[in-house]
Amino acid sequence: EMCQIWQTKSVNEMTPAEIETFFSRWSQFSWVHLTGGELFMRRDFEDVVAAILHANRRLYLLNFPTTGWFGDRTVALVERILRSRVGRLMVTISIDGPPAVHEQMRGLPGSWQRAIDTYRRLRGIRKRNFQVVVGMTLLAKNAGLVDDVIAAIRQEVPGFERTDLHLNIGHE
């Protein structure tokens, strides 16, 4: 029920070299938000991030969402980014409901636990310029479940606060 962009064949995406050329010419941007479905489905995602960081050395904020499905790649990339000169990095782990609702909406068994595991691992990275949050996209089906999501996450991640959750409004 959530974003199905991953089922669409990618066409005309910018290459890492094209992205680096763009940011070399337009280096005044202080905030870059990467989006487009699960970014780690893109085989060269790490190269895309490297191109942005290389060309835009004054970047204040880089942020991107992820489902958390690719935990090892996510943690490794975050650690690599934090060794660079990025001013601030924010990663959002997408969770759409308590476990059963999340998995129903994502259509992928195990997606709740992978998201939670990746979130937990990223919370363990203690850097002043890094923040990881949970993002919940509100739809009619889950808008009444915010408190349930917070409670479910707290069972898995002690210390999770309401301020660790940000909300998106779903649209088509």
Side-chain angles (χ1 to χ4, degrees), residues 87-134:
R88 186 164 176 74
L89 173 63
M90 178 186 279
V91 176
T92 302
I93 305 295
S94 299
I95 293 183
D96 303 308
V101 173
H102 175 82
E103 294 205 358
Q104 179 188 21
M105 290 178 74
R106 290 283 161 173
L108 201 54
S111 59
W112 163 267
Q113 197 58 54
R114 282 186 180 233
I116 288 295
D117 290 345
T118 300
Y119 177 71
R120 186 183 299 114
R121 290 172 67 189
L122 291 175
R123 274 180 66 110
I125 298 174
R126 303 275 190 224
K127 297 282 186 177
R128 285 182 35 167
N129 63 335
F130 176 62
Q131 181 179 10
V132 60
V133 296
V134 169

Side-chain angles (χ1 to χ4, degrees), residues 116-117 119-120 123 150-161 164:
I116 288 295
D117 290 345
Y119 177 71
R120 186 183 299 114
R123 274 180 66 110
I150 292 169
I153 295 171
R154 282 181 175 161
Q155 286 183 345
E156 298 274 347
V157 183
F160 183 83
E161 299 292 334
D164 295 324

Side-chain angles (χ1 to χ4, degrees), residues 2-149:
M2 292 306 291
C3 179
Q4 301 296 318
I5 196 170
W6 62 272
Q7 295 177 340
T8 305
K9 182 174 173 49
S10 298
V11 292
N12 298 323
E13 287 186 339
M14 293 175 71
T15 67
E18 291 169 330
I19 291 167
E20 186 165 354
T21 297
F22 174 86
F23 282 105
S24 293
R25 291 181 187 154
W26 296 86
S27 62
Q28 78 275 11
F29 295 104
S30 60
W31 179 356
V32 175
H33 175 75
L34 303 172
T35 188
E38 173 51 65
L39 294 166
F40 286 93
M41 293 287 291
R42 185 171 170 157
R43 289 183 184 92
D44 64 353
F45 180 57
E46 290 88 344
D47 296 331
V48 167
V49 170
I52 292 167
L53 294 174
H54 182 261
N56 197 347
R57 297 190 186 271
R58 294 181 308 208
L59 185 64
Y60 174 73
L61 173 63
L62 176 66
N63 78 303
F64 60 86
T66 179
T67 62
W69 188 264
F70 300 96
D72 290 341
R73 284 181 66 195
T74 305
V75 171
L77 179 61
V78 164
E79 290 173 341
R80 201 164 32 253
I81 292 169
L82 291 172
R83 286 191 299 269
S84 75
R85 295 185 192 138
V86 71
R88 186 164 176 74
L89 173 63
M90 178 186 279
V91 176
T92 302
I93 305 295
S94 299
I95 293 183
D96 303 308
V101 173
H102 175 82
E103 294 205 358
Q104 179 188 21
M105 290 178 74
R106 290 283 161 173
L108 201 54
S111 59
W112 163 267
Q113 197 58 54
R114 282 186 180 233
I116 288 295
D117 290 345
T118 300
Y119 177 71
R120 186 183 299 114
R121 290 172 67 189
L122 291 175
R123 274 180 66 110
I125 298 174
R126 303 275 190 224
K127 297 282 186 177
R128 285 182 35 167
N129 63 335
F130 176 62
Q131 181 179 10
V132 60
V133 296
V134 169
M136 182 176 176
T137 299
L138 297 178
L139 303 171
K141 182 174 195 164
N142 67 353
L145 300 175
V146 173
D147 286 333
D148 296 335
V149 168

